[in-house]
Amino acid sequence: MAEKIYTKPPCLLPLSSGFCPGCLHSLATKLIAESIDELGVAEKVINVLPVGCSTMNSLYWKLDMVTSAHGRAPAVATGVKRCRPDALVFAYQGDGDLASIGLSEVLMAANRGEHITIFFANNSTYGMTGGQMAPTTLIGQKSTTCVFGRDPDTTGFPIRMCELVKELEAPVYVARFALNSPANIRKAKKGIKKAMQNQIDGLGFSFVELLINCPTNWGMSPVQSIAYMEENTMKYFPCKVFVDKTEEEEK
Ligand SMILES: Cc1ncc(C[n+]2csc(CCOP(=O)(O)OP(=O)(O)O)c2C)c(N)n1
Ligand code: SF4
């Protein structure tokens, strides 16, 4: 009899995904669910929902949740965690949500060293509303609001969020991973788990950026979108651990 090598994490509901085919939000949804179940903390989790395609993972997670206004998840998560210090409070935000309308909220929460975990899904576009330019849209990348490609002379440069957050004193863990290949997915899973473990250990603010795709709004097949990530996105947004204060303490 064949050996069973994979079991669906219990906190992932048995539903088919509503994300577009090949969208890596879907994979991130699974990795977060697996991490929660492996850490055995599903009963303690409170997920704060942002606005965007990123928020659709709420349909598939069997977890407690609260909603927030666009970009305000880190502020709501602050309130939830301060009222319920025993809970594991996290948000999974897109780049329009986190790096544009919610830029102030995430930087202030990071700067205060709130004991929360933020996952940042960077697909370099506003996915849900039809592919407008985001703060992370690459130079030359086309979107519905920069049809000839992003021009830094008029719209500035793509914002590297990890590099901003790492400059603050308080964050204990800041890292960027890409979900483009099995090896990188394994690294991302470790980072996701670590960012949650830090909160379980009573440490402060953890920030994990995940480079993903948006095949629909990039106008590409899933395979083409992964190639685009590897040739463009991952070159501008280097994948590494920027801050790990837990390692400093271990040394
Ligand atoms: C205050 C407010 N402004 C604008 C919107 C419209 N809106 C809904 S989703 C979205 C884009 C979200 O994009 P992103 O955060 O990049 O997430 P993705 O959809 O790519 O996962 C916008 C602008 C809104 N719901 N509320
Ligand atoms: S629009 Fe883009 S981000 Fe949204 S589900 Fe589809 S591929 Fe994913």
Side-chain angles (χ1 to χ4, degrees):
M1 202 168 70
E3 189 194 350
K4 189 175 182 183
I5 56 164
Y6 179 76
T7 306
K8 187 186 71 60
C11 78
L12 200 57
L13 293 165
L15 301 168
S16 56
S17 166
F19 292 110
C20 303
C23 175
L24 292 172
H25 270 316
S26 183
L27 177 58
T29 301
K30 187 190 81 157
L31 296 177
I32 291 171
E34 282 177 358
S35 301
I36 288 169
D37 281 324
E38 286 167 23
L39 292 167
V41 290
E43 295 296 316
K44 285 179 161 236
V45 165
I46 301 177
N47 171 29
V48 181
L49 300 176
V51 174
C53 288
S54 53
T55 210
M56 283 200 293
N57 47 27
S58 61
L59 302 171
Y60 311 112
W61 285 330
K62 201 172 154 194
L63 299 170
D64 285 343
M65 301 178 189
V66 291
T67 57
S68 65
H70 213 352
R72 309 308 187 239
V76 173
T78 296
V80 173
K81 182 70 181 183
R82 288 188 181 198
C83 293
R84 288 279 309 273
D86 56 313
L88 195 158
V89 182
F90 83 90
Y92 174 87
Q93 301 177 256
D95 41 13
D97 187 84
L98 180 141
S100 183
I101 192 167
L103 182 63
S104 172
E105 274 73 11
V106 74
L107 290 180
M108 292 303 178
N111 192 45
R112 293 190 304 267
E114 297 295 341
H115 288 213
I116 59 176
T117 302
I118 300 292
F119 298 116
F120 170 45
N122 177 356
N123 61 8
S124 66
T125 190
Y126 284 71
M128 181 170 264
T129 38
Q132 294 83 8
M133 191 184 77
T136 45
T137 300
L138 297 171
I139 301 299
Q141 186 176 2
K142 291 179 181 161
S143 81
T144 53
T145 49
C146 53
V147 290
F148 300 114
R150 182 176 187 161
D151 176 358
D153 287 344
T154 49
T155 56
F157 291 84
I159 296 178
R160 296 184 179 100
M161 280 308 305
C162 282
E163 285 81 341
L164 277 185
V165 174
K166 85 171 172 54
E167 288 304 313
L168 302 169
E169 286 297 323
V172 295
Y173 186 66
V174 180
R176 179 186 291 122
F177 304 96
L179 300 187
N180 66 307
S181 69
N184 282 344
I185 292 165
R186 275 197 293 276
K187 285 185 198 160
K189 166 91 179 281
K190 273 192 190 166
I192 289 168
K193 253 178 119 167
K194 186 167 182 63
M196 289 185 167
Q197 184 66 51
N198 288 344
Q199 202 179 142
I200 295 165
D201 294 343
L203 303 175
F205 189 87
S206 295
F207 184 88
V208 170
E209 177 171 346
L210 300 171
L211 298 181
I212 63 163
N213 58 354
C214 174
T216 300
N217 288 305
W218 292 4
M220 296 178 192
S221 70
V223 172
Q224 287 169 334
S225 72
I226 298 290
Y228 182 86
M229 279 175 68
E230 290 168 352
E231 284 155 26
N232 301 280
T233 324
M234 291 170 66
K235 290 194 176 144
Y236 188 85
F237 297 105
C239 290
K240 60 182 188 173
V241 175
F242 294 88
V243 176
D244 186 352
K245 292 192 179 158
T246 62
E247 278 203 346
E248 280 169 26
E249 275 163 27
E250 279 161 19
K251 274 178 202 164

